[in-house]
Amino acid sequence: MLGVCQWTDVSLNTYKFEVFDINTKFNPVSGIYIFCILNRNGNWHPLYIGEANDLSSRFQRHHKLPQAILMGATHFHILRFDGGEMSRKRIESDLIKNYYPPLNEKT
């Protein structure tokens, strides 16, 4: 882990995500993740927000990871969360609504 970053959802709930290098391999743990780039101002910019039951296998075949890397993604931000799939999906959705990452589908 390289540090911690706080992200806020559309309802102003805040979550502390752990910061990892894009090449990090994960143990089987559920959570919410963000593919990120550090912009010139030193601020994190989300390229894609998702959730998974098993982070160890999710990134090996993630359909958006190649695009995120082409856009400059250098880090994963991870919120380990075992509160159930419905809660993970709600947090994921609320974060997407607040940040509008370019690689998430428009809804």
Side-chain angles (χ1 to χ4, degrees):
M1 182 177 74
L2 302 172
V4 176
C5 182
Q6 188 168 287
W7 293 90
T8 304
D9 71 13
V10 72
S11 301
L12 303 180
N13 298 306
T14 58
Y15 303 95
K16 289 185 179 180
F17 281 70
E18 297 172 290
V19 178
F20 295 91
D21 182 84
I22 200 84
N23 297 312
T24 302
K25 304 296 183 217
F26 294 94
N27 292 326
V29 61
S30 60
I32 297 130
Y33 58 91
I34 306 174
F35 300 158
C36 293
I37 186 171
L38 193 59
N39 70 22
R40 321 173 240 201
N41 298 328
N43 297 314
W44 291 108
H45 178 70
L47 298 175
Y48 183 83
I49 299 172
E51 64 83 25
N53 189 48
D54 181 358
L55 295 174
S56 68
S57 63
R58 179 65 175 138
F59 300 135
Q60 294 173 6
R61 62 185 184 283
H62 198 285
H63 64 293
K64 296 289 184 172
L65 185 55
Q67 288 175 279
I69 291 171
L70 284 174
M71 292 176 73
T74 55
H75 293 82
F76 292 116
H77 289 200
I78 304 294
L79 175 65
R80 298 169 200 258
F81 186 84
D82 61 5
E85 183 179 8
M86 288 180 60
S87 294
R88 278 194 323 269
K89 287 186 180 294
R90 181 193 52 75
I91 293 168
E92 171 200 32
S93 176
D94 286 351
L95 287 166
I96 291 168
K97 288 175 187 171
N98 197 38
Y99 293 101
Y100 300 103
L103 294 177
N104 283 92
E105 304 298 323
K106 304 295 183 229
T107 57

